[in-house]
Amino acid sequence: MIQNPIPWPNGARCAVSITFDMDADSLVHMAHPDRAPDMVAATSMLRYGPEVAIPRILETWRKLEITQTFFIPAWCAETHPRAVEQIAEAGHEIALHSYIHEMSHEKPRHEEAYWLRRASESLTRIAGAAPRGWRAPMYSFSRHSADLLIDEGFVYDASLMGDDMPYMLETDKGRLVELPAHWGTDDYPQYAHTPDLDYMVPVKAPRGGIENYQDEFDAHHSHGGMFVGVWHPFLTGRLTRWHHIEKMLMEWREKGDVWFASMEEIARHALDCEKAGTYQPRTSKLPFYDEPISLLQPEGT
């Protein structure tokens, strides 16, 4: 079913990267900038991520003996530096997720460039290493994002949904590895009932979300794919959910033919395979469109 399978390391049948977007309380400031100081309950829910869930997640990664990727807005790193220090001390990848969860495709190019550079510099200072990967908040990748990421020296992006495997983004500036996911492996449709943030869905039981993830994993494991979880500490890191999630991940690990890897490791592997001639990634030329498509009738017709 996958037309261009990649050879995973050590004969693994599939790759798994469980990525966490540590948005913390940036979300309340973006949703309601004027009211945020008075929204104490919403803020406490979001701060559960860096203050309670991150240590819990890191303990599971220690048990599994794996390293994974955390996408962090720079403002969240500035506000919750201890969480970032814990992640870095445990040897996990810290990648960039905007400055304060601003939507990239809502900004003109010069503003997007400014906030990308400012965020990267801030996260580098706190994490101790420059980020090599980026995910746009709410997948808000703009027509300028690839060029700006290439200018800043990023290796990969994780914002798009155009394949089941690593592929390449190509612009006049150069190339990026794209590590795609999709809403089916995102925990927002599973667990996010957040009225204060204007996002409300019927909350699934923990095992309901896990059933969805298990189906996704089974398909990738059968066909040599790449399972990328897009999860949030304040959602998936909740006690009951993580209790069941940990058991699921332990079962995946016990299969013995699953490569748990950080996003940067997967990106580097794809590039190495391309260089060796063992994998020919599909390429998307960006931007798809330079301007809006108009249905207005030309004057004089």
Side-chain angles (χ1 to χ4, degrees), residues 77 81 84-85 88-89 92 94 120-131:
V84 178
E85 291 167 5
E89 288 167 0
H92 300 285
I94 296 174
S120 182
E121 291 172 352
S122 176
L123 191 62
T124 299
R125 184 175 65 256
I126 296 167

Side-chain angles (χ1 to χ4, degrees), residues 169-232:
L169 305 180
E170 182 178 316
T171 79
D172 292 340
K173 292 272 189 177
R175 302 166 82 223
L176 281 171
V177 179
E178 178 60 38
L179 300 178
H182 68 102
W183 281 107
T185 56
D186 192 307
D187 62 358
Y188 249 71
Q190 315 301 326
Y191 300 135
H193 181 79
T194 54
D196 284 340
L197 303 180
D198 305 318
Y199 192 98
M200 291 177 284
V201 298
V203 179
K204 287 185 180 179
R207 294 182 192 224
I210 286 171
E211 181 179 10
N212 180 71
Y213 301 143
Q214 187 65 54
D215 284 349
E216 291 281 348
F217 170 79
D218 288 344
H220 286 282
H221 189 256
S222 294
H223 300 288
M226 178 181 69
F227 178 100
V228 177
V230 183
W231 298 352
H232 300 77

